[in-house]
Amino acid sequence: MTTSPIPFALPDITEREKAEVAATLDSGWITTGPRTKAFEREFAATVGNTHAVAVNSCTAALHLALEAAGIGPGDEVIVPSLTFAASAEVVRYLGARPVLVDVLSSNHNIDPAAMAAAVTSRTRAVIPVHFAGQACDMDRVLDIARSANLAVIEDAAHAFPTFYRGRAIGSLGDVTCFSFYATKTITTGEGGMAVTARDDWAERMRVMSLHGISKDAWKRYSAEGNWYYEIVAPGFKYNMTDIAAALGSVQLRRAGEMLEKRRAVSRAYIDAFSDCDALELLQVRDFDEHSWHLFVIKLREGTLRITRNEFILELKALGIGTSVHFIPLHLHPYYRETYGYSPEDVPAALDAYERSISLPIYSTMTSTTVERVAWSVLDVVNRHQR
Ligand SMILES: *Cc1c(COP(=O)(O)O)cnc(C)c1O
């Protein structure tokens, strides 16, 4: 038996990505240019929307989306607590208040009832997070948002490619923000994309992504452009490079093939764990519409003699890399101290955090590796079952 460690996550980079990146380096144009424009067009077409603005992270995309929506001081934005730092910090960038709400314990997506209950006269937007790559209940989220006149800015960092009742994530809310961070389902190293059907918001995000300048560098310096530009607002420096876009275009073309492999991993885990009383799996609405970015197991209360943290250490000793998604935002010192949250204020997020372990799921895993992870999890359970 091989005992080399199995990392929690690994990118899937082939000779095709390397060739495109090398061609970009040889082309003489390495920052935002024709490859970024092509990647934007291809991505927008893939999710079935009008505009895609490529940026250097999903965090940047979320910030630009909220800025385009006009969020500012005095406003409230509803964010699920069980998410990454980025989903709420962007609200703070604009001086607004993130209102942290609970998730459904069945699938860790935003609880529509909690969202509806959090709406006040100051609420201007909601940021649903498609946890692990399964879509939130978007019919209910969009209904609540529409009746309260809220912008819907989706955090789709886990959700490419994901579908909600046959419709692609990226074609539903006002702006959908994707991540191409190294561990995500497609990667550009670092990168992100803001997708929208609104012409005015797309233009605003494009302008604000590059210093609030009304033309981008490519148009300014290439033959068809000219030297003149105007600063219309104090913008940011969020543009994607052509090196990253070259990587992204190839990853985009390979997204289906990589998803098939993650789907096979998820099926193997579900087969291995579904009869195990100590493990609880997240409910899946439709197996084929899930991007399978994460695979989370939850330890069932009272079934094991070890804690979740000890379970993680046992897996580590067996060479299995894991992670936890997420430490809820309301437990972190900044949000606790600024807004006075206590742990019990967001109970389902707290419970999800205390019992969850994320297992390795990525397209370069072999079936032997997947079996070893599953076998190791069951071995830890069997040795510590009550
Ligand atoms: C990774 C992640 C982000 C941030 O993506 P970046 O591209 O690294 O900025 C935002 N939200 C969630 C839920 C994430 O997992």
Side-chain angles (χ1 to χ4, degrees):
M1 195 188 95
T2 163
T3 51
S4 57
I6 299 169
F8 171 66
L10 273 183
D12 181 349
I13 306 294
T14 66
E15 293 306 316
R16 292 169 63 190
E17 281 88 346
K18 292 180 198 168
E20 268 305 303
V21 169
T24 308
L25 295 174
D26 289 339
S27 74
W29 197 280
I30 57 175
T31 186
T32 312
R35 282 179 169 84
T36 302
K37 299 295 142 196
F39 183 37
E40 290 177 339
R41 278 194 305 275
E42 293 155 7
F43 197 88
T46 304
V47 297
N49 209 329
T50 321
H51 305 283
V53 179
V55 287
N56 56 16
S57 72
C58 179
T59 309
L62 288 164
H63 182 197
L64 292 172
L66 291 176
E67 201 276 338
I71 304 302
D75 294 339
E76 292 177 359
V77 177
I78 296 172
V79 181
S81 189
L82 195 70
T83 186
F84 185 58
S87 320
E89 75 193 18
V90 292
V91 177
R92 296 297 305 128
Y93 291 178
L94 293 159
R97 174 181 182 147
V99 175
L100 304 177
V101 301
D102 218 341
V103 295
L104 298 167
S105 56
S106 58
N107 63 15
H108 297 186
N109 274 328
I110 192 167
D111 178 349
M115 172 191 162
V119 174
T120 72
S121 58
R122 289 183 294 276
T123 313
R124 297 281 311 279
V126 60
I127 305 182
V129 177
H130 303 295
F131 187 90
Q134 172 161 242
C136 297
D137 186 349
M138 288 306 288
D139 285 339
R140 291 199 54 203
V141 167
L142 290 167
D143 268 356
I144 298 162
R146 219 170 278 126
S147 62
N149 203 21
L150 313 181
V152 177
I153 311 294
E154 293 166 66
D155 181 337
H158 300 180
F160 182 78
T162 293
F163 290 80
Y164 174 72
R165 300 186 198 283
R167 290 171 286 164
I169 292 302
S171 66
L172 299 175
D174 293 301
V175 184
T176 310
C177 301
F178 295 90
S179 175
F180 310 132
Y181 180 69
T183 59
K184 301 288 159 71
T185 56
I186 69 171
T187 186
T188 59
E190 298 278 0
M193 193 77 84
V195 174
T196 185
R198 296 185 57 140
D199 299 342
D200 51 346
W201 288 13
E203 179 57 21
R204 177 71 182 183
M205 292 192 290
R206 207 172 279 292
V207 165
M208 293 307 280
S209 73
L210 200 63
H211 306 297
I213 284 173
S214 65
K215 295 175 170 187
D216 65 28
W218 182 48
K219 286 180 193 152
R220 261 190 289 144
Y221 294 119
S222 68
E224 67 230 72
N226 60 42
W227 54 268
Y228 186 75
Y229 63 89
E230 288 179 347
I231 298 164
V232 297
F236 313 107
K237 171 67 177 171
Y238 282 165
N239 55 306
M240 178 180 277
T241 68
D242 265 23
I243 303 169
L247 188 46
S249 283
V250 179
Q251 288 268 295
L252 183 59
R253 273 171 249 145
R254 295 187 51 238
E257 157 211 328
M258 293 191 289
L259 171 60
E260 277 310 315
K261 292 177 180 166
R262 292 193 306 276
R263 205 179 267 150
V265 177
S266 69
R267 282 189 201 282
Y269 286 158
I270 289 169
D271 278 353
F273 304 143
S274 51
D275 290 336
C276 179
D277 290 337
L279 304 179
E280 189 182 323
L281 305 182
L282 298 187
Q283 278 173 28
V284 176
R285 191 188 309 102
D286 182 322
F287 204 84
D288 290 338
E289 303 207 334
H290 196 308
S291 75
W292 294 109
H293 169 54
L294 300 177
F295 194 96
V296 172
I297 58 172
K298 290 201 279 184
L299 308 185
R300 226 185 275 277
E301 200 114 30
T303 57
L304 297 169
R305 285 188 307 264
I306 56 171
T307 64
R308 186 275 312 271
N309 292 0
E310 288 164 346
F311 202 109
I312 288 173
L313 290 175
E314 295 255 353
L315 286 175
K316 189 175 174 213
L318 293 168
I320 313 296
T322 58
S323 190
V324 173
H325 295 88
F326 293 92
I327 304 168
L329 296 178
H330 76 282
L331 300 185
H332 288 282
Y334 174 73
Y335 292 98
R336 224 172 51 215
E337 286 160 19
T338 308
Y339 301 109
Y341 287 109
S342 40
E344 307 304 328
D345 288 347
V346 197
L350 175 65
D351 174 69
Y353 160 61
E354 287 177 337
R355 297 197 292 120
S356 288
I357 302 174
S358 299
L359 300 180
I361 180 165
Y362 43 95
S363 45
T364 58
M365 289 177 83
T366 64
S367 55
T368 317
T369 314
V370 177
E371 279 162 27
R372 202 180 120 204
V373 175
W375 179 89
S376 302
V377 169
L378 293 174
D379 178 55
V380 176
V381 168
N382 290 333
R383 284 189 286 111
H384 298 285
Q385 206 142 23
R386 275 190 201 278

